[in-house]
């Protein structure tokens, strides 16, 4: 029940059924964004775009996919960070400029958008949305370079923050990862085609073979000449987002070349050793707490049970009865299995606590179902700071752990005992020997790229 999701990108070239494969890829990346989705394809004549608000399954039909011909495509699932939840902010963005038609998908968040926007507007640029992705497109179009490839390199020299990008033109597909590699981007092979995806679970669905990560700072270019790679910016110490392993990514994905399922199980094992408790059941908060709860159960010897059942068919919004005096909130998504919980001492395992209001409702729900004790265990350290790298987080003052100690958090949540994974334990699970190889800023406030507003 951690931070809100972010976005997923998928693209490939050259593949006969590029848009249909991209549609499948987006299906596998649906968990990364449910507010909007889009696909842009190229057929040697022009770029074709279809995008809209909602789930991938609702946006695309046979007919819309038929209108996305060609052997190259990029796609995006979106959870809004900058730009709001409006159709114009959905990706890919398609523009026509100095280099012909150009489409772009972005996972991440620039940290110097405001100053870039101001500068560009003063220079005569117009924008149709508040999206930082439009800023990148404007920088590419206004670059002094003679070719698109060089213009992209020039634009990248001006942007700061988090960006995993896919850029499609008539002649090229470019995959770009920022120098810190905040957001993931992996590469695979499907026959002749080079495939890119935020997570490897999408490769499994289309039958592509995982090759490697796109390296932090790397630009991989696919065109008629084949595949080549460049590192246009000075190298820095990479800081990929550790929260991908805590919560965002699907457990069946490899992220940064490491199994998400295995990492989460390790988190659960270490959590059990760090915060042992006498209990009858280990119950995950589904779905993101499941892998850590399995590890907790394994290390503690306490039986694992699905004591909370998740309704997977709830959309982002739902309509409550008009006369209702109570808020349905968490109840719509989760329901306790009373027969399992009654009279039991329960260890609840979740991945993180943000505002704490959801955790409090879940603890109440488990108690109301008859549990005699509820012990909360969190498989990451306290989240004390906001994310500026493409994850939708509340402001710092709304984060429960930003101003409370462990006892005050326990009291707010209403658990009998409370325990978090330590930062050091998290670093052990990530095999991060000097504690410097990932971004942990939402736990530490140590921002590798300080956002404009904080300077
Ligand atoms: Fe990930 Fe947290 Fe860093 Fe944001 S601040 S990139 S959520 S680790």
């Amino acid at each position: 029940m951690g931070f809100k999701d972010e976005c997923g990108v998928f693209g490939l070239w050259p593949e006969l059924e590029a848009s249909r494969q991209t549609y499948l890829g987006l299906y596998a990346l649906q968990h990364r964004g449910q507010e909007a989705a889009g696909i842009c394809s190229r057929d040697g004549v022009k770029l074709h775009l279809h995008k809209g608000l909602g789930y991938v399954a609702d946006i695309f039909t046979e007919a819309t996919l038929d209108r996305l011909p060609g052997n190259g495509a990029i796609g995006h699932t979106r959870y809004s960070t900058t730009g709001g939840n409006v159709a114009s902010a959905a990706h890919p963005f398609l523009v026509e400029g100095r280099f012909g038609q150009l489409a772009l998908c972005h996972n991440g968040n620039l940290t110097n958008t405001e100053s870039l926007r101001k500068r560009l507007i003063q220079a005569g640029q117009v924008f149709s949305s508040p999206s930082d992705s439009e800023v990148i497109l404007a920088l590419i179009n206004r670059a002094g370079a003679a070719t698109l490839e060089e213009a992209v390199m020039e634009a990248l020299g001006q942007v700061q923050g988090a960006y995993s990008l896919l850029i499609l033109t008539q002649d090229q597909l470019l995959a770009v990862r920022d120098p810190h590699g905040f957001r993931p981007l992996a590469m695979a092979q499907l026959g002749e085609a080079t495939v890119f995806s935020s997570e490897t679970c999408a490769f499994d669905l289309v039958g592509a073979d995982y090759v490697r990560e796109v390296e932090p700072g790397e630009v991989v270019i696919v065109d008629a000449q084949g595949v080549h790679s460049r590192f246009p910016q000075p190298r820095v110490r990479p800081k990929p987002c550790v929260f991908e392993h805590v919560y965002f990514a699907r457990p069946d994905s490899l992220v940064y070349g490491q199994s998400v399922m295995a990492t989460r199980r390790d988190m659960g094992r270490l959590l059990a050793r760090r915060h042992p408790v006498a209990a009858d059941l280990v119950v995950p908060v589904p779905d993101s707490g499941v892998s850590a709860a399995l590890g907790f159960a394994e290390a503690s010897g306490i039986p694992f049970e699905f004591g909370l059942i998740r309704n997977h068919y709830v959309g982002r919004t739902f309509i409550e009865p008009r006369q209702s005096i109570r808020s349905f909130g968490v109840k719509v998504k989760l329901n306790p299995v009373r027969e399992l919980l009654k009279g039991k001492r329960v260890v609840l395992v979740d991945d993180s606590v943000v505002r704490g209001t959801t955790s409090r409702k879940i603890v109440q729900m488990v108690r109301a179902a008859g549990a005699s004790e509820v012990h909360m265990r969190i498989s990451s350290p306290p989240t004390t700071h906001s994310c500026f790298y493409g994850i939708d987080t509340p402001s710092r003052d709304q984060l429960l752990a930003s101003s409370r100690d462990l006892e005050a958090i326990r009291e707010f949540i209403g658990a009998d005992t409370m325990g978090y994974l330590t930062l050091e334990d998290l670093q052990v699970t990530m095999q991060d020997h000097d504690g410097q190889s990932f971004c942990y800023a939402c736990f530490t406030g140590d921002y590798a790229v300080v956002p404009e507003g904080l300077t």
Side-chain angles (χ1 to χ4, degrees):
M1 292 280 157
F3 290 159
K4 292 275 173 58
D5 303 357
E6 24 150 16
C7 297
V9 297
F10 184 94
L12 78 172
W13 177 322
E15 153 66 34
L16 276 180
E17 294 208 85
S19 59
R20 278 185 158 72
Q21 300 283 22
T22 303
Y23 165 75
L24 286 175
L26 296 187
Y27 238 102
L29 298 177
Q30 185 74 84
H31 62 291
R32 295 181 74 86
Q34 294 102 44
E35 290 191 349
I39 296 175
C40 184
S41 70
R42 55 76 65 195
D43 63 359
V45 181
K46 61 182 284 206
L47 298 188
H48 305 266
L49 175 70
H50 184 76
K51 61 183 181 178
L53 295 176
Y55 289 121
V56 174
D58 300 328
I59 295 166
F60 297 99
T61 61
E62 278 288 336
T64 54
L65 289 171
D66 283 343
R67 292 198 291 274
L68 297 169
N71 69 349
I74 59 174
H76 189 266
T77 56
R78 172 179 164 81
Y79 179 81
S80 60
T81 44
T82 58
N85 186 23
V86 289
S88 64
H91 296 214
F93 279 92
L94 173 58
V95 293
E96 183 145 12
R98 219 153 65 75
F99 303 102
Q101 286 186 302
L102 186 68
L104 176 137
C105 296
H106 178 194
N107 174 203
N109 188 51
L110 302 188
T111 53
N112 63 339
T113 308
E114 278 318 303
S115 58
L116 289 172
R117 269 179 84 89
K118 266 190 204 142
R119 206 187 77 206
L120 286 162
I121 287 170
Q122 272 164 12
Q125 181 69 36
V126 292
F127 291 101
S128 68
S129 81
S131 167
D132 53 355
S133 313
E134 256 198 90
V135 170
I136 302 174
L137 284 166
L139 290 172
I140 295 171
N141 196 48
R142 286 172 169 267
T147 65
L148 171 82
E149 193 174 316
E150 293 310 321
V152 169
M153 307 300 156
E154 210 176 306
L156 294 179
Q158 299 171 71
V159 298
Q160 292 167 9
Y163 52 89
S164 282
L165 307 174
L166 293 180
I167 298 170
L168 183 72
T169 70
Q170 240 7 295
D171 308 313
Q172 286 179 315
L173 167 61
L174 288 84
V176 183
R177 199 161 164 218
D178 71 73
H180 291 92
F182 285 114
R183 307 260 60 90
L185 190 59
M187 201 169 147
Q189 201 68 36
L190 176 68
E192 294 294 303
T194 303
V195 192
F196 301 97
S197 174
S198 298
E199 287 182 41
T200 62
C201 60
F203 297 151
D204 298 335
L205 187 56
V206 302
D209 294 321
Y210 171 71
V211 175
R212 65 175 176 88
E213 301 293 295
V214 175
E215 297 295 323
E218 185 177 12
V219 181
V220 180
I221 300 126
V222 187
D223 57 22
Q225 277 70 54
V227 182
H228 69 280
S229 155
R230 296 177 59 175
F231 287 85
Q233 297 184 72
R235 298 272 187 140
V236 294
R237 182 90 191 244
K239 294 281 178 187
C241 170
V242 77
F243 231 96
E244 291 284 345
H245 275 270
V246 170
Y247 169 66
F248 303 131
R250 264 175 44 168
D252 51 335
S253 283
L254 295 178
V255 172
Y256 319 134
Q258 202 169 320
S259 158
V260 175
M261 168 66 103
T263 317
R264 287 191 190 154
R265 270 184 114 117
D266 283 350
M267 290 170 186
R269 284 189 199 105
L270 286 181
L271 189 59
R273 283 184 207 126
R274 183 71 61 180
H275 298 288
V277 61
D280 304 306
L281 293 179
V282 175
V283 171
V285 175
D287 294 321
S288 50
V290 171
S291 310
L294 282 166
F296 194 105
E298 194 182 298
S300 64
I302 303 169
F304 173 100
E305 288 285 1
F306 279 108
L308 289 168
I309 302 301
R310 188 183 185 100
N311 180 344
H312 286 100
Y313 308 100
V314 183
R316 281 210 168 257
T317 55
F318 55 91
I319 299 160
E320 294 189 17
R322 284 217 174 116
Q323 303 305 319
S324 170
I325 50 163
R326 62 205 163 130
S327 164
F328 279 73
V330 170
K331 285 186 75 164
V332 176
K333 286 188 182 153
L334 296 176
N335 199 30
V337 185
R338 286 175 185 74
E339 294 66 29
L340 281 176
L341 300 173
K342 201 162 177 240
K344 298 289 189 338
R345 296 168 300 169
V346 173
V347 184
L348 262 183
V349 180
D350 204 351
D351 59 88
S352 55
V353 177
V354 182
R355 290 184 176 86
T357 44
T358 303
S359 303
R360 183 160 66 175
K361 285 178 190 161
I362 294 171
V363 170
Q364 281 168 359
M365 178 185 276
V366 172
R367 282 200 200 283
S372 59
E373 294 174 17
V374 182
H375 304 275
M376 193 76 171
R377 296 294 180 269
I378 305 298
S379 61
S380 64
T383 40
T384 52
H385 290 74
S386 305
C387 176
F388 299 95
Y389 306 135
I391 307 302
D392 184 36
T393 50
S395 60
R396 200 178 163 209
D397 57 343
Q398 291 186 50
L399 294 170
L400 185 67
S402 68
S403 57
R404 288 176 176 81
D405 64 12
L406 187 65
E407 175 53 21
I409 293 171
R410 183 203 64 73
E411 202 178 316
F412 181 90
I413 293 215
D416 292 284
T417 68
M418 176 97 198
Y420 283 92
L421 197 69
T422 64
L423 182 64
E424 293 69 29
D425 283 345
L426 178 60
Q427 288 162 347
V428 168
T429 64
M430 297 303 297
Q431 298 165 39
D432 184 2
H433 304 300
D434 66 357
Q436 296 295 320
S437 298
F438 291 91
C439 176
Y440 302 101
C442 46
F443 309 121
T444 63
D446 184 7
Y447 296 103
V449 178
V450 181
E452 261 175 358
L454 287 190
T455 47

